[in-house]
Amino acid sequence: MKVLDLDACILLPSYSGSMIFTSGSRPFSPSERLEKEARRILKTPFIQPLRKISPERQAGKSFSERFFHAHHSWEIQPEWKGLCPAKILLLDDVFTTGASVNEASRILKNNGAKSVYILTYLRTAD
């Protein structure tokens, strides 16, 4: 990962601002662990250009529902419009269909990113 010469890392937001989540409510948080290790190893700045706008989760949705839902789940923060760094590492907890990281990558590229690399903690099996 270090050879990619990344400009920034992003942890894909899982919750909208209206949801309450505390790290103590789960015995283990894959996203927190992934972020912690990426910070330790890569020493790349973390930024937050994405905002989750849908209170719904992807879990429990069918394959096609995940893609439709993802298309309306995130938006670029106003201060990041057109200003995303060129090379971004996008971190997410679980890769199921790729709908979430696909949509997040589309938004980032529409706002200046040239390359978006994906790193997930888990990959589900069909």
Side-chain angles (χ1 to χ4, degrees), residues 36-82:
K36 179 182 175 185
E37 291 302 315
R39 283 182 188 272
R40 182 182 67 78
I41 294 166
L42 298 175
K43 311 249 187 295
T44 302
F46 271 73
I47 60 174
Q48 293 181 309
L50 298 174
R51 173 175 43 215
K52 177 92 185 278
I53 55 175
S54 171
E56 292 183 48
R57 297 178 51 91
Q58 291 281 69
K61 294 187 180 345
S62 71
F63 183 89
S64 59
E65 288 172 334
R66 286 173 182 261
F67 282 88
F68 286 115
H69 174 257
H71 189 66
H72 304 286
S73 292
W74 293 274
E75 67 181 9
I76 196 79
Q77 302 265 21
E79 63 271 20
W80 285 99
K81 285 190 180 205

Side-chain angles (χ1 to χ4, degrees), residues 13-21 51-56 73:
S14 298
Y15 297 93
S16 65
S18 62
M19 293 190 67
I20 298 171
F21 175 77
R51 173 175 43 215
K52 177 92 185 278
I53 55 175
S54 171
E56 292 183 48
S73 292

Side-chain angles (χ1 to χ4, degrees), residues 92-99 101-102 118 120-125:
D92 195 11
D93 57 353
V94 179
F95 185 102
T96 303
T97 62
V101 295
N102 183 62
I118 309 298
T120 61
Y121 197 83
L122 300 169
R123 167 72 167 107
T124 61

Side-chain angles (χ1 to χ4, degrees), residues 81-92:
K81 285 190 180 205
L83 299 174
C84 287
K87 291 184 188 175
I88 296 173
L89 177 63
L90 179 62
L91 306 173
D92 195 11

